[in-house]
Amino acid sequence: MEFLSDLNEFIEVPIPDQEIEKNDQALNILVDNRTEPDNTTTKPHFNLSRQHFKNLLSDLDAVTAQLDRIKQAAESYAKQKNSAHIQTVKKALNKIQTIFEYNIYRTGMSGSYWSNPLYDFRVWAGENMDQGERMPLGYMDTKSDGPDKIFVIFQQLQEMDITKTKDTWESVYEDFYALITFEKVRINSYLRRIDSFEKFNTILDQGASYYALKSKIFDIPTMTMQETMLSTAVRYMSLSIELLEEIKSAAKENLKALPDKKAAEALAFHTEQLIDEVNRLASHGHFNGMSLLTGRFSRNHEQATSSMYILLGAEMSESTRVYIPTLTAVSLVVPGNMAQPWKWDVYEAFTSEQKTNQFIAALDTSIGKIKQSMQNLDQLAKKLPEHDPYSKLSFDSMYQESMQYFLKSYSLTIKNLAYTAQPEHSINTQSTLVLLTLRNAHELITEKLINMRELAVQACNSVYNDQEHMKLNDEFAALIKSIEKITEQTVFNGEKILHTDSTLSSDRSIKLDLVCDEDGIIQKQLLLFPLDPKALELSRSNYFLEINRVDEANRAIGILDWALAKVNSNKARIGSCLQSVFIAEYKDSLMRDYIKLLTSAPKKNNSAATYLEYLGNLVDFTKHVYKKAEEYAWMAMSGVYTYNDREQMAFYFSNLLHDVQTLIKHAQTLSEALPQDITFNNQQKTKLSALVKYLAKIGAETSNFMEEIKNSDFLRSIGSARNVFEKITWIISIKE
């Protein structure tokens, strides 16, 4: 059904006795349901806003029905002079007044003017639910707190006297009817935008659900990241086309409506809302924190640093540039022959057939270009390999096996958060336990922060009353207290290792010195942000961050995003240290196995073979660690990662490279200080000589490489990542 004809089908809606409570009851039902499992999404927020507008539309339909009744009674009175028609008009006017006072404006005060609380109504959307799109109703004077224009004209309408001639009341009646009709135009347009909001957020959920917790981003195959980015861009384009097609439909309807100015104005308003939605989509169409649709990755973009590259080919080593068109309204809906496109106005475009046709032609051109871009991205997606070349690294399988052992063996200790080093525990065990305890505490805090963020998002909804906001705020405050409890209880050897009150805390960070191996040659200093509510700016003295008002809730979302970034930074550091502890433990386990075999070897030549086997295993493990470092360099070559992601990759990479250097030095020391009671035959001497030369070669190359990248922004850009990847690949390819 066409937009205007849909609005003109006014159906009289019977008003039940409980009309006064209808809106509040409908809203309260949605509020009470917000704790259902499905409410981890933003769907309840959109349902609540949509239901609010539908209730208002129903109320306005009821008002229109009463207006139709008034007109019918007035026309009947003019013919029949029946006093019953006068009473019909009075009852209808009283009904209209009741609907406005108790349902729409909610003043509940007969005779007081209507100062529309819906004039500043906002619906929130976006990845962070921080896009407060204003959807005003009514006609308020923004410079004063005076009455709504609807109230002023309704007062005039109440003075209508149907016993007098039609020309004495008809103009006021028609003005009021027109205002109500245009309010319904607004509401229908807003409902359409809310549908678009929900589709947009669905795309965000599908495209960003993997990346809700940034610390887990490296657990997702790069191929999956690239595939998701391409499909997300295509879904954005599909939604953009949907909006453009609807704009085009409104423009064609305008051609039929001309020269009816009121119809053109209604269509122009509807189109303006859709154009605003096109711009909102372009401004906030993100993937992994990157804006995709504002021209940053378009073919004619001048900044080479903003190029989007993805990895293709069997080994995903071929870089291909991805082009994503600019989807702003200026690029899509403004006719191309305009000298000053920013001055284009949809109301002006709908004033003549020629201008409307130019508008339609611009839309057709834009739709065609977007469809072509969608096809290009689909073709690229088909070239992606089925498997990530680094999906089955030996390092990863060994690391996971080690972590599973610890989680199974010490789950109760880790779960309790408080840990005291036991004498029977090895250095590796103690370091691993404290790191896993920290990781578990961080997971718990992350869960609390995400729950808080969801409450803040709900509190952004303008239709919540004070009592409902207080209920949300109470839940919010309880979660802050639970974070305080977690940081109080995360204790190692009597020290609070996540709290600003800890003696380990200084200069806004907590320092933990970890000895990772039995020889003490692998040591790490772990720097963490304290995560108690005070450190995360969730509380100050006796004050807790609140979400009692919409502005407070928006501020809370920003603080929570900052807090989550701190937590995720900590988790990346903990993850890197866990890798180092695993490397140290594996090195020690090789040594223990070697000593065990050595003591059981009956002959010296067997001792030599055992020694060479141990040294060879140590070299092989060093290669596995190097291969893991290579993976981070390879990942950084893909454009789907942000600068901050590459910062984390660089941290992991640098840490692994230091561990590789330590392993090489350890192996070199062993190969140079041979046990005197071991005799090597010629074949074994040749093998030993090859290992010594190999260790010297990769040791020198690794040292030089680390010196090269010491003061550079390695991995921070795609170009530097490729240089690092090529260098490390060459080092790994060195033969024994």
Side-chain angles (χ1 to χ4, degrees):
M1 187 179 291
E2 292 181 333
F3 181 70
L4 284 179
S5 58
D6 189 16
L7 287 174
N8 290 329
E9 287 200 357
F10 299 122
I11 301 173
E12 181 175 340
V13 181
I15 305 176
D17 294 336
Q18 63 272 31
E19 181 71 42
I20 294 174
E21 300 178 2
K22 184 188 67 174
N23 280 4
D24 289 331
Q25 287 175 347
L27 295 180
N28 287 335
I29 289 172
L30 286 168
V31 172
D32 291 340
N33 286 340
R34 71 176 187 277
T35 54
E36 291 182 356
D38 185 46
N39 287 4
T40 54
T41 68
T42 55
K43 189 173 182 179
H45 169 80
F46 295 126
N47 283 343
L48 187 59
S49 300
R50 191 183 285 112
Q51 186 63 44
H52 186 68
F53 278 121
K54 285 182 178 180
N55 287 343
L56 289 172
L57 191 60
S58 176
D59 289 328
L60 292 179
D61 281 340
V63 169
T64 304
Q66 297 304 318
L67 288 172
D68 289 341
R69 185 174 295 172
I70 289 171
K71 188 172 184 180
Q72 185 180 7
E75 291 174 348
S76 297
Y77 180 84
K79 296 176 182 178
Q80 303 170 8
K81 305 298 182 182
N82 188 338
S83 60
H85 296 306
I86 299 174
Q87 293 303 315
T88 298
V89 170
K90 289 182 178 179
K91 288 180 180 179
L93 288 170
N94 287 336
K95 201 70 172 178
I96 291 172
Q97 182 171 348
T98 298
I99 293 171
F100 272 100
E101 288 182 353
Y102 288 92
N103 283 30
I104 298 177
Y105 295 102
R106 302 190 186 189
T107 60
M109 297 166 59
S110 179
S112 64
Y113 68 74
W114 305 333
S115 180
N116 195 345
L118 302 178
Y119 189 80
D120 288 317
F121 185 83
R122 295 174 187 271
V123 177
W124 300 87
E127 183 177 12
N128 297 317
M129 292 300 285
D130 54 357
Q131 301 159 30
E133 293 297 315
R134 186 167 169 269
M135 296 186 177
L137 293 172
Y139 303 86
M140 293 285 292
D141 181 358
T142 57
K143 296 180 180 179
S144 69
D145 295 325
D148 195 307
K149 184 178 179 182
I150 292 176
F151 171 76
V152 175
I153 297 182
F154 180 69
Q155 280 188 317
Q156 297 172 10
L157 186 64
Q158 284 181 308
E159 297 172 3
M160 72 178 288
D161 186 352
I162 62 174
T163 63
K164 296 181 180 179
T165 57
K166 187 176 182 180
D167 61 329
T168 61
W169 55 265
E170 185 178 35
S171 62
V172 174
Y173 173 89
E174 293 296 339
D175 285 346
F176 190 76
Y177 199 102
L179 286 177
I180 301 304
T181 301
F182 200 76
E183 288 295 89
K184 295 167 78 171
V185 171
R186 283 173 151 183
I187 291 174
N188 274 279
S189 294
Y190 295 157
L191 284 169
R192 176 62 189 88
R193 286 202 71 181
I194 292 172
D195 289 342
S196 180
F197 284 5
E198 189 162 23
K199 290 179 181 179
F200 173 73
N201 270 57
T202 299
I203 295 172
L204 287 175
D205 290 341
Q206 292 171 346
S209 59
Y210 294 119
Y211 324 118
L213 305 179
K214 286 287 187 180
S215 61
K216 292 186 177 180
I217 197 167
F218 305 139
D219 296 336
I220 305 159
T222 299
M223 187 273 294
T224 303
M225 288 277 289
Q226 294 186 156
E227 185 179 38
T228 308
M229 185 278 294
L230 292 174
S231 62
T232 299
V234 168
R235 285 194 289 268
Y236 283 143
M237 292 183 200
S238 178
L239 179 55
S240 183
I241 288 176
E242 184 180 323
L243 291 167
L244 293 179
E245 289 286 5
E246 194 164 346
I247 292 171
K248 180 180 170 183
S249 176
K252 287 183 175 180
E253 197 169 343
N254 183 62
L255 290 175
K256 299 176 185 177
L258 285 171
D260 186 339
K261 290 184 178 180
K262 287 187 177 180
E265 184 182 1
L267 285 164
F269 177 85
H270 180 59
T271 303
E272 184 180 47
Q273 287 296 311
L274 292 171
I275 290 173
D276 285 347
E277 186 59 16
V278 168
N279 272 328
R280 195 187 69 83
L281 171 63
S283 298
H284 303 287
H286 294 169
F287 174 81
N288 192 26
M290 294 181 289
S291 179
L292 296 181
L293 313 176
T294 54
R296 184 181 180 192
F297 304 115
S298 63
R299 189 173 294 274
N300 59 354
H301 199 279
E302 297 177 357
Q303 297 182 23
T305 55
S306 295
S307 302
M308 168 70 78
Y309 286 91
I310 61 172
L311 302 171
L312 300 175
E315 296 298 319
M316 292 181 69
S317 57
E318 303 171 15
S319 289
T320 301
R321 186 171 179 180
V322 176
Y323 294 102
I324 300 173
T326 308
L327 298 186
T328 60
V330 170
S331 300
L332 298 178
V333 305
V334 179
N337 59 353
M338 286 200 67
Q340 296 177 312
W342 57 90
K343 291 187 176 181
W344 181 84
D345 179 70
V346 65
Y347 290 91
E348 177 65 23
F350 276 22
T351 57
S352 72
E353 182 177 340
Q354 180 186 1
K355 291 178 180 178
T356 304
N357 280 325
Q358 289 176 345
F359 179 44
I360 293 172
L363 291 170
D364 284 333
T365 301
S366 295
I367 290 170
K369 288 181 178 179
I370 296 173
K371 287 181 176 179
Q372 182 60 54
S373 295
M374 290 172 67
Q375 291 178 7
N376 294 340
L377 295 185
D378 280 334
Q379 290 300 317
L380 283 176
K382 291 176 182 178
K383 294 180 181 180
L384 290 173
E386 294 183 3
H387 303 289
D388 195 313
Y390 292 87
S391 60
K392 295 181 179 180
L393 288 181
S394 299
F395 179 91
D396 288 335
S397 59
M398 291 187 290
Y399 176 71
Q400 292 301 326
E401 185 179 342
S402 174
M403 290 302 103
Q404 287 172 6
Y405 165 77
F406 269 94
L407 290 170
K408 183 178 180 180
S409 303
Y410 300 98
S411 60
L412 187 61
T413 299
I414 296 165
K415 185 177 180 180
N416 288 340
L417 297 180
Y419 172 68
T420 302
Q422 301 296 319
E424 66 271 16
H425 288 171
S426 67
I427 292 292
N428 312 88
T429 301
Q430 291 181 21
S431 297
T432 305
L433 279 172
V434 69
L435 289 170
L436 287 176
T437 300
L438 279 168
R439 190 175 73 173
N440 189 50
H442 278 71
E443 292 294 344
L444 293 173
I445 292 172
T446 299
E447 180 184 339
K448 304 299 181 186
L449 289 172
I450 289 175
N451 289 341
M452 289 171 65
R453 196 179 187 286
E454 289 170 0
L455 290 172
V457 167
Q458 291 182 46
C460 286
N461 201 317
S462 303
V463 297
Y464 282 113
N465 60 34
D466 291 343
Q467 186 177 0
E468 291 155 356
H469 268 113
M470 287 178 64
K471 186 176 180 180
L472 290 172
N473 194 67
D474 289 343
E475 295 179 43
F476 193 82
L479 288 168
I480 294 176
K481 291 177 181 177
S482 66
I483 291 176
E484 175 69 26
K485 185 177 179 181
I486 292 169
T487 56
E488 286 278 355
Q489 293 180 344
T490 306
V491 177
F492 179 72
N493 282 351
E495 286 288 350
K496 299 174 186 177
I497 50 178
L498 283 179
H499 205 285
T500 47
D501 291 343
S502 171
T503 58
L504 302 173
S505 178
S506 64
D507 194 25
R508 298 186 180 181
S509 64
I510 294 174
K511 297 179 182 179
L512 287 174
D513 293 315
L514 300 173
V515 179
C516 302
D517 63 340
E518 295 172 0
D519 299 329
I521 61 175
I522 299 182
Q523 299 184 20
K524 300 290 177 182
Q525 186 178 73
L526 180 60
L527 297 177
L528 298 174
F529 294 112
L531 300 182
D532 55 283
K534 182 179 178 182
L536 295 179
E537 297 192 8
L538 303 178
S539 68
R540 294 177 184 173
S541 301
N542 296 322
Y543 166 78
F544 280 162
L545 187 67
E546 295 182 341
I547 53 172
N548 277 319
R549 301 193 311 269
V550 171
D551 59 332
E552 290 179 339
N554 274 302
R555 178 174 173 270
I557 289 175
I559 291 174
L560 290 167
D561 285 343
W562 174 79
L564 280 165
K566 275 195 163 186
V567 174
N568 290 331
S569 177
N570 277 3
K571 288 162 80 172
R573 294 169 184 272
I574 293 167
S576 180
C577 278
L578 273 170
Q579 284 186 351
S580 294
V581 172
F582 159 68
I583 291 168
E585 167 59 23
Y586 197 86
K587 173 186 75 68
D588 289 345
S589 68
L590 287 176
M591 175 61 80
R592 288 193 294 268
D593 291 343
Y594 164 62
I595 293 172
K596 184 178 179 181
L597 288 171
L598 190 62
T599 55
S600 64
K603 296 180 181 179
K604 289 186 177 181
N605 61 332
N606 287 341
S607 298
T610 301
Y611 180 85
L612 286 172
E613 182 182 356
Y614 162 63
L615 195 58
N617 288 338
L618 189 58
V619 170
D620 287 341
F621 181 62
T622 302
K623 292 179 181 178
H624 291 320
V625 178
Y626 234 135
K627 195 69 178 175
K628 184 63 181 177
E630 180 190 47
E631 181 189 11
Y632 289 118
W634 170 80
M635 290 169 64
M637 291 194 298
S638 176
V640 297
Y641 296 107
T642 64
Y643 183 86
N644 288 336
D645 294 335
R646 292 193 179 87
E647 283 276 349
Q648 288 193 23
M649 292 175 193
F651 186 83
Y652 274 89
F653 179 87
S654 178
N655 221 16
L656 285 172
L657 222 57
H658 279 287
D659 292 338
V660 164
Q661 193 175 40
T662 301
L663 289 173
I664 291 172
K665 288 180 179 179
H666 179 62
Q668 284 178 312
T669 301
L670 288 173
S671 64
E672 292 168 358
L674 296 175
Q676 295 180 357
D677 58 342
I678 296 180
T679 303
F680 295 88
N681 59 32
N682 291 335
Q683 186 178 359
Q684 291 169 338
K685 287 180 180 178
T686 302
K687 175 66 175 175
L688 179 60
S689 177
L691 284 172
V692 170
K693 290 179 181 178
Y694 172 75
L695 289 169
K697 177 68 173 175
I698 65 166
E701 292 294 343
T702 302
S703 296
N704 292 337
F705 182 42
M706 291 183 68
E707 194 63 33
E708 288 176 16
I709 64 174
K710 187 175 181 180
N711 297 315
S712 66
D713 289 335
F714 72 103
L715 302 191
R716 270 71 167 189
S717 68
I718 291 176
S720 65
R722 175 160 291 281
N723 292 335
V724 169
F725 176 75
E726 290 173 352
K727 178 69 174 182
I728 199 169
T729 302
W730 177 80
I731 293 175
I732 292 173
S733 68
I734 295 174
K735 303 295 183 183
E736 293 180 16

